[in-house]
Amino acid sequence: ARRGGWEMAAWARAVRGLLLDVSGVLYDSGGDGGVPIAGSVEAVRRIKASGLKLRFCTNETQATREKFVKKLQGMGFDISVAEVTAPAPAACRILKERSLRPHLLVHNDLVPEFDEIDKAKPNCVVIGDAAENFTYANLNEAFRVLIGLEKPVLISLGRGRYYKETDGLKLDVGAYMKALEYACDVQAEVVGKPAKMFFESALAEMGVPPEQAIMIGDDIVNDVGGAQQCGMRALQVRTGKYRPCDENHPQVKPDAYVNNLAEAVDIILQQL
Amino acid sequence: ARRGGWEMAAWARAVRGLLLDVSGVLYDSGGDGGVPIAGSVEAVRRIKASGLKLRFCTNETQATREKFVKKLQGMGFDISVAEVTAPAPAACRILKERSLRPHLLVHNDLVPEFDEIDKAKPNCVVIGDAAENFTYANLNEAFRVLIGLEKPVLISLGRGRYYKETDGLKLDVGAYMKALEYACDVQAEVVGKPAKMFFESALAEMGVPPEQAIMIGDDIVNDVGGAQQCGMRALQVRTGKYRPCDENHPQVKPDAYVNNLAEAVDIILQQL
């Protein structure tokens, strides 16, 4: 009852798998790298030791999973590429299934994720958080590819509005997605959180049904709302981009709040 | 009856003033300048000789009115700065009325239009077709100003999706407006066609009520639809960005079609 009583809930006792958001849950991002959030390195180890299935579920698209995982390993996290669900590989699956050949408007460091994809004579546009690659020329080029298609297909690796870096706030991929949507009168297909298909593929990779999985994230809409739409329970941590006003969100209500990942793991492991 | 009979309509006989769109009605724009549309130089002269009031109504924001008018004079048009209604001066009136100090994200050549406006400690953002100034850094900067305001105010000089230049299609101000709207969860205030206030100020400058004015333009939504919303009659010319599919537009139906400005002036002057 100390923590609102949720630790005794039936759904918490039925848990077999955890999905963890990464930035803001495992670490706080900064200029060249990041800093682990207190207790989170140990929390990941404890989850693995417990026998619970574990999946890292990120919208990161500024680097390949290889680079991303190396950064986390450098901070001390026990994590491998095979444990990460990220938008670019999800997009690659869609491209292959539908024989789509993308024009890429993404970060240079993400390009290798698309190495095996045919990109000749593009018949769709894939947009990610391209950062410095969001130039006037590149945006016009992506627009021309899209408007030139008989049936424009725009795939967006996320729909974030903005994020914070050490040198200030930056527009995220969602803003540029909206620009192209408006110019071409199309609706983007969003890959990554909060897309249902994204959570579903993470669950499939774990082999755990939604009612036995818990998502832990700092983003009330993309993590908590998205996971709940999929039939999962979801906890919001009070780290990362969490803001007190999230607790009054008009649409989304987490199944419980925790101060941080370490506390969430404490409580969940007590149920097993 | 030859031209659908509209020339005998009561509203055509009551006309006291004409509003002309410029690009696509007077001239076709190209790389360094443009080419007058056949008969349009003479048509402007005939309007002036007739005693009808005349106003040029443009969404052009890549240059000051001075530069814009010089270009048209160079093509042979009888036009002066005082006869042009354009978004930047309309925005300046709004800024003054509401004590708004803009952060400008506009084309370098438009900046002088804001010379007399206080721009210290900005409390709003004004966005125009900034073209090469739409850099990643400049977009982030405008975004930061906006998101940092207690009540974000975004004023957009038009809401165009895209336009064509000799080297290809370019995203117009509307696309970037949408990006900022989404990132900051605000609704831009659009100055310029099709905003009602924009047409109303052109009418006020002419001293003609809407029911005695006719708008002539090539843009079915921004020219024709906007003017009709204001109580004016509106003709669409079959020049400029006119496309045959405009004649099946689901929302907007011009009061009449004409092949070009010269034909419109022929018919209107016959009524007087």
Side-chain angles (χ1 to χ4, degrees):
Chain A
R2 256 183 316 130
R3 294 182 182 99
W6 71 273
E7 63 265 41
M8 301 308 292
W11 58 263
R13 290 198 298 272
V15 65
R16 284 185 46 229
L18 298 182
L19 293 86
L20 305 189
D21 176 32
V22 180
S23 176
V25 174
L26 300 193
Y27 79 107
D28 279 320
S29 61
D32 292 330
V35 183
I37 290 168
S40 61
V41 169
E42 185 55 27
V44 170
R45 278 214 198 90
R46 292 173 64 206
I47 296 168
K48 292 199 166 180
S50 74
L52 285 176
K53 303 264 185 165
L54 175 59
R55 197 84 201 152
F56 301 95
C57 215
T58 178
N59 267 7
E60 168 69 33
T61 63
Q62 279 207 7
T64 57
R65 281 166 303 164
E66 281 72 14
K67 267 202 168 182
F68 182 63
V69 160
K70 272 215 181 91
K71 184 172 80 172
L72 289 159
Q73 289 171 339
M75 290 183 233
F77 287 102
D78 179 359
I79 180 173
S80 68
V81 169
E83 296 169 319
V84 175
T85 301
C92 286
R93 273 196 304 278
I94 292 173
L95 295 170
K96 282 180 192 161
E97 278 167 21
R98 288 161 55 188
S99 301
L100 290 170
R101 299 178 306 275
H103 171 89
L104 299 177
L105 179 54
V106 301
H107 197 284
N108 288 347
D109 291 346
L110 193 71
V111 173
E113 292 272 18
F114 296 88
D115 271 352
E116 314 220 318
I117 301 287
D118 180 8
K119 293 179 276 292
K121 289 190 205 156
N123 57 6
C124 77
V125 168
V126 171
I127 184 173
D129 176 18
E132 302 289 341
N133 275 351
F134 281 132
T135 63
Y136 181 59
N138 286 348
L139 282 161
N140 281 331
E141 197 187 346
F143 160 67
R144 278 177 217 138
V145 169
L146 210 51
I147 199 83
L149 298 173
E150 202 183 333
K151 200 182 170 308
V153 174
L154 175 61
I155 294 175
S156 187
L157 306 179
R159 56 181 303 126
R161 292 164 189 265
Y162 60 91
Y163 54 87
K164 192 174 183 172
E165 289 199 331
T166 40
D167 58 339
L169 296 175
K170 307 278 173 77
L171 289 168
D172 198 358
V173 59
Y176 293 96
M177 172 191 88
K178 285 287 171 186
L180 292 178
E181 281 188 341
Y182 177 71
C184 301
D185 198 16
V186 295
Q187 178 103 40
E189 302 175 34
V190 178
V191 176
K193 298 176 285 185
K196 200 168 178 179
M197 201 198 290
F198 191 69
F199 287 105
E200 285 170 349
S201 77
L203 288 169
E205 285 151 352
M206 299 168 80
V208 170
E211 62 276 12
Q212 297 183 351
I214 299 175
M215 172 79 205
I216 303 175
D218 65 337
D219 187 314
I220 182 77
V221 171
N222 289 311
D223 294 327
V224 176
Q228 288 177 334
Q229 286 287 321
C230 260
M232 276 182 264
R233 304 289 174 155
L235 312 184
Q236 190 178 10
V237 289
R238 293 196 181 97
T239 55
K241 71 169 71 163
Y242 162 86
R243 294 180 305 169
C245 67
D246 290 345
E247 306 205 12
N248 305 316
H249 194 281
Q251 274 91 47
V252 184
K253 193 175 151 44
D255 293 281
Y257 281 97
V258 285
N259 287 319
N260 49 46
L261 176 64
E263 188 185 79
V265 172
D266 274 351
I267 301 174
I268 290 167
L269 297 190
Q270 283 170 20
Q271 317 299 317
L272 301 181
Chain B
R2 257 184 315 131
R3 294 181 182 103
W6 70 274
E7 63 264 43
M8 301 307 292
W11 58 265
R13 290 198 299 272
V15 64
R16 283 186 45 229
L18 298 182
L19 293 85
L20 305 189
D21 177 31
V22 180
S23 176
V25 174
L26 300 194
Y27 78 107
D28 280 320
S29 60
D32 292 330
V35 183
I37 290 168
S40 62
V41 168
E42 185 56 26
V44 169
R45 278 214 196 90
R46 292 173 64 207
I47 297 168
K48 290 197 168 182
S50 75
L52 285 175
K53 303 266 184 164
L54 175 59
R55 197 84 201 153
F56 301 95
C57 215
T58 179
N59 266 8
E60 168 69 34
T61 65
Q62 280 207 9
T64 57
R65 282 166 301 164
E66 281 72 14
K67 268 203 170 183
F68 182 63
V69 160
K70 271 213 182 91
K71 184 172 78 172
L72 288 158
Q73 289 170 341
M75 290 182 231
F77 288 101
D78 179 359
I79 180 173
S80 69
V81 170
E83 295 168 319
V84 175
T85 299
C92 286
R93 273 195 304 277
I94 292 174
L95 295 169
K96 282 179 193 162
E97 277 166 24
R98 289 160 54 186
S99 301
L100 290 170
R101 300 178 305 276
H103 170 89
L104 298 178
L105 179 53
V106 300
H107 197 285
N108 288 347
D109 290 345
L110 193 71
V111 173
E113 291 273 18
F114 296 89
D115 271 351
E116 313 220 318
I117 300 287
D118 180 9
K119 293 178 276 293
K121 290 190 203 156
N123 57 6
C124 76
V125 168
V126 171
I127 185 173
D129 176 17
E132 303 289 344
N133 275 351
F134 280 133
T135 64
Y136 181 60
N138 286 349
L139 282 161
N140 280 331
E141 197 187 347
F143 161 66
R144 279 177 215 137
V145 169
L146 211 50
I147 199 82
L149 298 173
E150 202 184 333
K151 201 181 169 311
V153 174
L154 174 60
I155 295 175
S156 187
L157 306 179
R159 56 182 302 127
R161 292 165 188 264
Y162 60 90
Y163 54 87
K164 193 175 184 171
E165 290 200 332
T166 40
D167 58 339
L169 296 174
K170 306 278 174 77
L171 289 168
D172 198 358
V173 59
Y176 294 96
M177 171 192 91
K178 285 288 172 186
L180 292 177
E181 281 189 342
Y182 177 71
C184 300
D185 199 16
V186 295
Q187 179 104 40
E189 302 175 34
V190 178
V191 176
K193 297 176 285 187
K196 200 169 178 179
M197 202 198 288
F198 191 69
F199 286 105
E200 285 171 348
S201 78
L203 288 169
E205 285 152 352
M206 298 168 80
V208 170
E211 62 275 12
Q212 298 182 350
I214 299 175
M215 172 78 204
I216 303 175
D218 65 337
D219 187 316
I220 182 78
V221 170
N222 290 312
D223 294 327
V224 175
Q228 288 177 334
Q229 285 287 321
C230 260
M232 276 181 264
R233 303 289 174 157
L235 312 184
Q236 189 178 10
V237 289
R238 295 197 180 97
T239 56
K241 70 169 73 163
Y242 162 85
R243 294 179 306 169
C245 67
D246 290 345
E247 305 205 13
N248 304 316
H249 195 283
Q251 274 93 47
V252 184
K253 193 174 152 45
D255 292 282
Y257 282 97
V258 284
N259 287 320
N260 50 46
L261 177 63
E263 188 185 79
V265 172
D266 273 351
I267 301 175
I268 291 167
L269 296 190
Q270 282 170 20
Q271 316 300 316
L272 300 182

